[in-house]
Amino acid sequence: MNGHYAIAIDGPSGAGKSTLARRAASEFTFLYVDTGAIYRTVGLACHRRGVDCHDEPAVSAILPELDIRMGYNEAGEQRMFLNGEDVSAAIRAPEISICASDVSSLPAVRAFLLEMQRRTARENDVIMDGRDIGTVVLPDAELKIYLTASAEARAERRLKELLAKGVETNLEDVLRDIEYRDYQDSHREIAPLRQAEDAVLLDTSEIGLEESCQLLFRTIRERLGIGSEKA
Ligand code: DC
């Protein structure tokens, strides 16, 4: 370790990574880093400029023009900035989820974002969630978790979240998006979603949020030997 703890949480879309990672970050006073938000910001930039998210030369051409930064508000929530604009809400639109998944399969995009993620982990105790954190971004993380749940359970949870935010959608569309992203995220050539050999598997298909949270907290305490206030 480099003087800081790193916990990597990988898994498919909608497994509850961000909710659980945020809760654990607050419990153990780590910085929570949502790396999906960074890919979403690139997806949003392409979408706004009318760039085809599958077209690597076209996407690569706009990367040098993108100033992507992460920040944290007073409540400790991660905000994303694209060329100075706070795009934290805009990157959550369902069409941007698809653009994010599309651009994330491009090697140029992954290389562009790698150092930003590693630098954050060098400078802070982090709980970082994504698809390749334990396998590629932070292979030396002190703890790796692979968090998953069935596609149906994930679609139902995601539907509730979207409806609560006022997004008009239905279970069929949400499940289709999840299956599209599962397939694409785990079949791409570069840094595909997969469980690292040394990751602890947590399957939350059959358990609720509170139970999943307690399971995660227990795993962190046992594996890292730390309590809620890091000693
Ligand atoms: O976690 P999310 O749904 O917000 O992520 C959006 C997309 O970004 C997802 O489809 C896959 C991609 N992603 C990735 O390839 N690697 C990461 N570390 C995080 C996200």
Side-chain angles (χ1 to χ4, degrees):
M1 93 182 253
N2 61 7
H4 287 289
Y5 286 108
I7 299 176
I9 303 193
D10 292 302
S13 310
K17 296 187 300 290
S18 60
T19 309
L20 290 176
R22 202 175 290 119
R23 292 271 298 265
S26 148
E27 178 79 10
F28 297 97
T29 17
F30 277 53
L31 184 72
Y32 167 55
V33 184
D34 169 3
T35 64
I38 313 176
Y39 287 93
R40 285 170 180 272
T41 304
V42 177
L44 177 73
C46 293
H47 189 261
R48 283 183 172 176
R49 293 171 187 224
V51 171
D52 175 355
C53 292
H54 298 98
D55 182 344
E56 186 157 28
V59 174
S60 298
I62 70 160
L63 291 178
E65 296 162 23
L66 306 185
D67 177 21
I68 296 179
R69 287 173 202 257
M70 276 186 289
Y72 290 85
N73 67 13
E74 282 174 7
E77 291 159 351
Q78 179 178 323
R79 312 297 296 175
M80 289 308 306
F81 296 90
L82 174 60
N83 296 334
E85 176 193 347
D86 185 340
V87 293
S88 311
I91 58 172
R92 297 294 155 192
E95 66 273 21
I96 304 305
S97 303
I98 299 294
C99 297
S101 181
D102 292 341
V103 295
S104 74
S105 61
L106 306 177
V109 172
R110 303 204 75 84
F112 179 71
L113 299 180
L114 188 60
E115 180 49 27
M116 177 180 184
Q117 298 168 74
R118 287 189 173 154
R119 189 178 56 242
T120 308
R122 273 196 303 273
E123 295 171 354
N124 302 276
D125 290 327
V126 291
I127 295 194
M128 194 174 271
D129 86 25
R131 304 295 188 290
D132 63 336
I133 309 304
T135 50
V136 176
V137 180
L138 304 176
D140 298 327
E142 281 71 32
L143 173 62
K144 300 177 186 177
I145 304 276
Y146 190 80
L147 188 74
T148 191
S150 68
E152 290 71 22
R154 290 183 281 126
E156 277 174 22
R157 291 175 196 161
R158 180 55 58 94
L159 178 67
K160 271 193 206 150
E161 278 171 20
L162 290 171
L163 293 178
K165 281 188 202 155
V167 178
E168 273 183 40
T169 185
N170 56 64
L171 186 61
E172 207 175 82
D173 286 354
V174 175
L175 183 59
R176 201 189 40 240
D177 280 4
I178 280 191
E179 286 174 342
Y180 172 89
R181 292 205 286 151
D182 279 0
Y183 185 85
Q184 183 157 276
D185 295 345
S186 52
H187 286 80
R188 63 178 178 228
E189 268 176 38
I190 177 164
L193 169 65
R194 65 175 178 82
Q195 183 178 344
E197 277 171 21
D198 49 352
V200 178
L201 175 68
L202 297 186
D203 186 329
T204 67
S205 308
E206 306 289 332
I207 55 175
L209 179 64
E210 278 315 311
E211 208 178 325
S212 307
C213 225
Q214 293 314 318
L215 191 58
L216 176 61
F217 289 2
R218 204 162 57 235
T219 309
I220 294 174
R221 285 192 196 100
E222 283 172 10
R223 296 291 179 116
L224 265 57
I226 56 172
S228 297
E229 292 169 1
K230 284 172 289 161

